[in-house]
Amino acid sequence: MLYFEDIEPGRKSAFGRYEVTREEVIEFASKYDPQPFHLSDEEAAKTYFGRLSASGWHTAAMMMSMLVTNFSDVQQAGLGSPGIDELRWLKPVYPGDVLRVESEIIDKTPSRSKPEMGSFRSKSTIFNQNDERVMTVISIGLIRRRPAKELVPES
């Protein structure tokens, strides 16, 4: 189990593989971001995107899917998230793209009001199959502190 005490600022990880499909781009946009350039090749051709592109919110959801899959590989004492500090969509994501994530722990802070938990910030960068950055996000995670009975005394 990964606890607050195990988190090391500067630690990097790379994970995930997400194939973006045309059907999923249209389905997500139809429900959550029904702008014409996410729904129609003809309308998208008239815009900066040039062709059908995924919603930025869809890109964030695909990243979240990869994060959760990665979490299942490394059990964490996670407690959710109070939010994000920054989100940037850097390049359009298109059907046929294959996404992956690189993440780095920025810092961690023990809670002053809840001694059983702490928080950490991490920066995740999402890349496409050409190693182009398509999105960055700085997020905050909440995590349990190691129970006192499991602490190893310092020598």
Side-chain angles (χ1 to χ4, degrees), residues 54-75:
S55 164
W57 295 112
H58 186 193
T59 303
M62 290 183 274
M63 178 207 65
M64 191 66 200
S65 176
M66 289 185 279
L67 285 171
V68 171
T69 298
N70 185 57
F71 291 160
S72 68
D73 293 340
V74 179
Q75 279 195 310

Side-chain angles (χ1 to χ4, degrees), residues 7-134:
I7 293 175
E8 301 172 24
R11 183 173 155 254
K12 297 179 182 181
S13 59
F15 53 88
R17 183 177 195 285
Y18 198 104
E19 295 183 33
V20 182
T21 68
R22 175 183 175 76
E23 296 75 23
E24 187 178 6
V25 166
I26 293 171
E27 179 183 4
F28 185 96
S30 295
K31 290 181 180 179
Y32 306 110
D33 192 357
Q35 298 183 76
F37 44 85
H38 298 317
L39 297 168
S40 160
D41 292 310
E42 295 75 26
E43 292 300 317
K46 301 174 191 174
T47 70
Y48 151 81
F49 300 105
R51 59 188 171 116
L52 188 76
S53 64
S55 164
W57 295 112
H58 186 193
T59 303
M62 290 183 274
M63 178 207 65
M64 191 66 200
S65 176
M66 289 185 279
L67 285 171
V68 171
T69 298
N70 185 57
F71 291 160
S72 68
D73 293 340
V74 179
Q75 279 195 310
Q76 294 189 17
L79 297 169
S81 171
I84 61 173
D85 282 343
E86 179 182 296
L87 172 65
R88 298 284 186 260
W89 294 304
L90 307 171
K91 187 172 180 61
V93 171
Y94 298 109
D97 282 352
V98 179
L99 306 179
R100 65 182 179 80
V101 179
E102 290 183 9
S103 187
E104 179 177 1
I105 302 295
I106 298 171
D107 55 33
K108 68 179 189 177
T109 307
S111 174
R112 290 185 293 265
S113 61
K114 297 182 179 173
E116 72 278 5
M117 65 188 287
S119 65
F120 65 95
R121 291 186 319 134
S122 61
K123 179 175 184 177
S124 295
T125 304
I126 296 72
F127 293 89
N128 66 18
Q129 70 281 355
N130 298 319
D131 289 328
E132 298 168 316
R133 298 178 326 137
V134 298

